[in-house]
Amino acid sequence: MNHIAPGARAGIYHYDEIDRRFVGERVEQFRKQVERRLSGELTEEEFKPIRLMNGLYLQLHAYMLRIAVPYGVMSAVQLRKLAEIGRTYDKGYGHFTTRQNLQYNWIKLEDTPAILNALADVDMHALQTSGNCVRNVTTDQFVGAAKDEVVDGRVYAEILRQWTSLHPEFTYLPRKFKIAISGAVSDRAAVRVHDVGLLARRNEAGEAGFTFYVGGGLGRSPFIGKLVREWVAEEDFVAYLEAILRVYNQYGRRDNIYKARIKILVHELGLEKFKAEVEEEFARLRGPKYRLDPAIVAEIRTHFAPPPFEDLPETSSALERAKAENPAFANWVAVNVAEHKAPGYAIATISLKPPGGIPGDATCDQMDVIADLAEQYSFGELRVSHVQNIVLAHVKQDELYALWQKLDAVNLGTANAGLIGDIIACPGLDYCALANARAIPLAQAISARFADPLRQRTIGELGIKISGCINACGHHHVGAIGILGVDKKGTEFYQITVGGDPTLTTAIGDILGPAVTEHEAVDAIEAIVEVYLANRTGESERFLDTLARVGHGPFKERIYAAD
């Protein structure tokens, strides 16, 4: 088992020599496979499954390389390396995704071995960021810091990373497999729209355990994950998850890519039959071989020990003065700063959604700045959120003003976390060969329309999510307002849904009416907002609550009355 190296920072898992040898060997394997492809010894059809298992896609204009950021946590050193790679091998930027990863969109095939080698230098890789395997396990971006946290999800996400890496049974599943863990009272990981969603909890004795949801997922057939077990003890964590994957591997369809996800299996078998199959398999696995040893959990937990927090007052007088003197800063604190479990500290979200910007994109210069700020203000650690932002999880309240000033100087000080400008968008037809429509220009147009920070605060919590095709990489199904790009005889149109919810009260949005053009879509969002503001009972009533109360009628009438 790994031990933290002298001088290593808490909060981040650190490789040992076994990890490094494993990643290094895989890089060398892929180097030879790339050479064979470039020489023509391998055809594209033969090379495709190999490159996908190493995170390399062939997109519309170039190769895209997806870098794994396990459970969204990385160090400043690692982010600086990502910036260096983006400058050297891409076009000077990277794109942070809804799986807490980073993508480069303009990669040359011959450069990929050198990129993977550079990643290995800082204990990073691209393994299992694609292919029909267990993908990057995601968790709450506030993990280890949130005031409402019950269990630190990083510990169990790391256990899953180690367990699933090149697992011989689960390397070629019927389809890709996504897991999310939330260990807080509030679900910030969207657990019920994953193949497996885990809620980490504690029983009355203070012991850790898990509630399992299975069969969630978006895409062509959106499903909300179903409860399969209310409580799985920590020692049975691996055994129960292995049982689920074995049942999926045995019964999941391989004859139809559109019916291959576990959500379809749960639906077709029926929940009770599926649960019975899992329980039967679990009974076979349960025992010493699959028991999660508490010593292993304790050892991994040492990697995520709290940083050396100072003993500070609960509140900061310096922060209150700065807020009083600078309304823009006060607005940023109100929107982008969350409560921390340690007195005198705060959690700061760095929005990658400036007005008119591309959601999730960061230039390499910005990455360097964020890395510097992470070292200066947050113990050298940062997180990627599944809503495509960056989080500094451990900032002194006294230092928030200085942090914001430096962020604002490089266009990273936007105050819109959780508001209408905090849009999720996939790369869409600008990059993806599967897309039917562009997502980026529409996201830019909407964020520009609602650029006024005071107007955003007036509107309040309202998430917009945009996908360029039915694969739903932009999570449009669970957007309070969701937008899906569709193709109508070669013309891009956009279908609008309302009422989606990615939290524990998960809901799939309903289609409002016929698809509209890009220009009409921006006006339609404006109309939806106006109807909401006119009908809400007070500033505290959220969009979803108003929608549930008044129904779809007023929104449909406003958008489609002219038709």
Side-chain angles (χ1 to χ4, degrees):
M1 186 53 61
N2 295 281
H3 294 275
I4 298 179
R9 296 185 184 277
I12 299 173
Y13 183 81
H14 294 274
Y15 282 13
D16 65 7
E17 288 310 309
I18 295 174
D19 294 311
R20 294 192 178 98
R21 183 169 66 249
F22 166 71
V23 172
E25 287 171 354
R26 288 304 300 257
V27 171
E28 286 308 306
Q29 284 179 352
F30 191 57
R31 185 189 304 278
K32 293 173 183 176
Q33 290 160 344
V34 168
E35 289 172 356
R36 293 172 65 198
R37 173 69 187 107
L38 291 171
S39 70
E41 187 178 345
L42 287 177
T43 65
E44 170 55 27
E45 185 178 355
E46 293 168 327
F47 183 61
K48 182 178 179 179
I50 295 171
R51 64 170 169 78
L52 287 177
M53 288 299 290
N54 288 275
L56 190 64
Y57 286 76
L58 183 55
Q59 290 202 305
L60 198 59
H61 307 294
Y63 283 97
M64 179 269 281
L65 183 63
R66 181 179 293 149
I67 312 304
V69 183
Y71 33 94
V73 178
M74 70 172 124
S75 70
V77 171
Q78 290 171 327
L79 182 59
R80 215 170 269 121
K81 177 61 71 172
L82 294 177
E84 177 188 316
I85 291 170
R87 282 194 194 91
T88 306
Y89 299 106
D90 202 276
K91 294 190 175 183
Y93 70 96
H95 176 73
F96 291 95
T97 78
T98 55
R99 286 223 67 72
Q100 299 181 308
N101 291 323
L102 178 125
Q103 293 179 182
Y104 297 113
N105 288 307
W106 300 96
I107 295 300
K108 295 177 181 176
L109 176 58
E110 57 267 30
D111 289 335
T112 52
I115 295 171
L116 295 178
N117 198 54
L119 290 169
D121 287 342
V122 292
D123 296 347
M124 298 186 82
H125 59 74
L127 297 172
Q128 296 185 197
T129 56
S130 183
N132 294 334
C133 56
V134 178
R135 300 284 185 91
N136 196 42
V137 178
T138 58
T139 190
D140 179 358
Q141 67 269 22
F142 295 169
V143 65
K147 198 161 190 176
D148 67 341
E149 184 171 86
V150 179
V151 176
D152 189 336
R154 292 172 299 181
V155 176
Y156 303 96
E158 175 56 32
I159 289 169
L160 292 186
R161 185 195 70 82
Q162 294 189 25
W163 172 61
T164 60
S165 292
L166 293 191
H167 191 301
E169 282 192 69
F170 309 137
T171 300
Y172 294 99
L173 293 165
R175 197 70 175 88
K176 58 187 176 182
F177 202 90
K178 300 177 180 181
I179 300 171
I181 301 176
S182 174
V185 174
S186 299
D187 175 20
R188 288 175 286 267
V191 297
R192 294 192 66 194
V193 291
H194 283 76
D195 297 290
V196 168
L198 298 164
L199 295 180
R201 295 289 183 258
R202 293 194 184 276
N203 60 17
E204 292 181 358
E207 300 165 325
F210 303 86
T211 299
F212 273 72
Y213 292 94
V214 180
L218 304 178
R220 186 175 299 271
S221 304
F223 283 91
I224 297 170
K226 296 176 174 61
L227 177 66
V228 295
R229 218 173 202 262
E230 188 69 46
W231 180 262
V232 175
E234 179 184 86
E235 67 174 19
D236 294 325
F237 174 60
V238 170
Y240 197 78
L241 195 47
E242 178 119 359
I244 290 171
L245 277 160
R246 283 190 174 187
V247 170
Y248 174 47
N249 218 0
Q250 180 178 356
Y251 292 106
R253 294 184 60 171
R254 287 179 161 86
D255 63 324
N256 186 330
I257 191 173
Y258 302 115
K259 296 185 178 181
R261 297 291 291 271
I262 195 171
K263 62 187 179 182
I264 304 299
L265 176 62
V266 173
H267 177 71
E268 293 187 344
L269 272 185
L271 180 60
E272 294 308 313
K273 172 65 173 171
F274 178 82
K275 286 166 64 174
E277 291 284 345
V278 171
E279 290 295 330
E280 184 179 338
E281 186 65 32
F282 177 50
R284 283 195 289 267
L285 293 173
R286 200 173 191 180
K289 182 178 178 181
Y290 283 90
R291 176 176 177 267
L292 182 55
D293 189 337
I296 290 177
V297 179
E299 170 62 28
I300 290 179
R301 187 174 286 115
T302 63
H303 292 263
F304 303 107
F309 294 126
E310 294 180 21
D311 187 9
L312 299 174
E314 187 73 38
T315 58
S316 163
S317 56
L319 171 60
E320 295 306 315
R321 283 196 303 273
K323 286 163 58 179
E325 294 169 1
N326 191 315
F329 170 64
N331 185 56
W332 181 79
V333 171
V335 174
N336 284 43
V337 174
E339 285 188 295
H340 198 288
K341 63 172 65 175
Y345 285 82
I347 304 168
T349 294
I350 301 172
S351 173
L352 299 182
K353 323 283 180 59
I358 299 174
D361 275 14
T363 68
C364 294
D365 289 345
Q366 287 176 326
M367 289 187 221
D368 279 337
V369 169
I370 294 171
D372 291 343
L373 295 177
E375 288 181 333
Q376 187 173 357
Y377 297 109
S378 193
F379 301 97
E381 178 200 336
L382 51 97
R383 290 90 180 280
V384 183
S385 76
H386 87 276
V387 292
Q388 300 176 286
N389 292 320
I390 301 293
V391 171
L392 299 185
H394 311 296
V395 182
K396 290 180 186 177
Q397 293 180 24
D398 285 351
E399 296 179 340
L400 282 170
Y401 184 57
L403 170 65
W404 173 76
Q405 287 180 305
K406 292 174 182 178
L407 288 170
D408 199 46
V410 291
N411 202 29
L412 290 170
T414 303
N416 62 5
L419 303 182
I420 195 169
D422 191 10
I423 298 169
I424 287 179
C426 72
L429 195 56
D430 285 305
Y431 297 100
C432 182
L434 301 176
N436 295 315
R438 295 169 299 161
I440 290 172
L442 181 56
Q444 291 176 294
I446 294 171
S447 71
R449 176 74 67 93
F450 293 94
D452 183 354
L454 294 180
R455 188 181 185 204
Q456 290 198 48
R457 284 289 300 281
T458 299
I459 295 167
E461 178 186 331
L462 202 166
I464 295 179
K465 307 183 193 302
I466 307 173
S467 299
C469 77
I470 199 63
N471 288 310
C473 294
H475 295 189
H476 68 277
H477 292 295
V478 289
I481 300 175
I483 303 175
L484 168 64
V486 295
D487 180 284
K488 288 190 174 184
K489 299 180 180 179
T491 302
E492 297 171 50
F493 277 77
Y494 297 89
Q495 188 180 79
I496 298 173
T497 59
V498 292
D501 181 1
T503 68
L504 284 180
T505 51
T506 316
I508 304 298
D510 298 312
I511 298 172
L512 265 186
V516 297
T517 65
E518 179 182 330
H519 177 72
E520 291 170 336
V522 180
D523 290 337
I525 302 304
E526 180 89 58
I528 290 170
V529 169
E530 288 177 355
V531 171
Y532 158 55
L533 294 178
N535 283 274
R536 69 181 181 182
T537 57
E539 290 185 4
S540 62
E541 185 174 62
R542 302 178 310 153
F543 171 79
L544 290 177
D545 299 326
T546 301
L547 177 68
R549 184 170 51 79
V550 305
H552 296 170
F555 298 94
K556 285 184 177 181
E557 184 178 349
R558 180 64 177 274
I559 294 173
Y560 299 107
D563 296 332

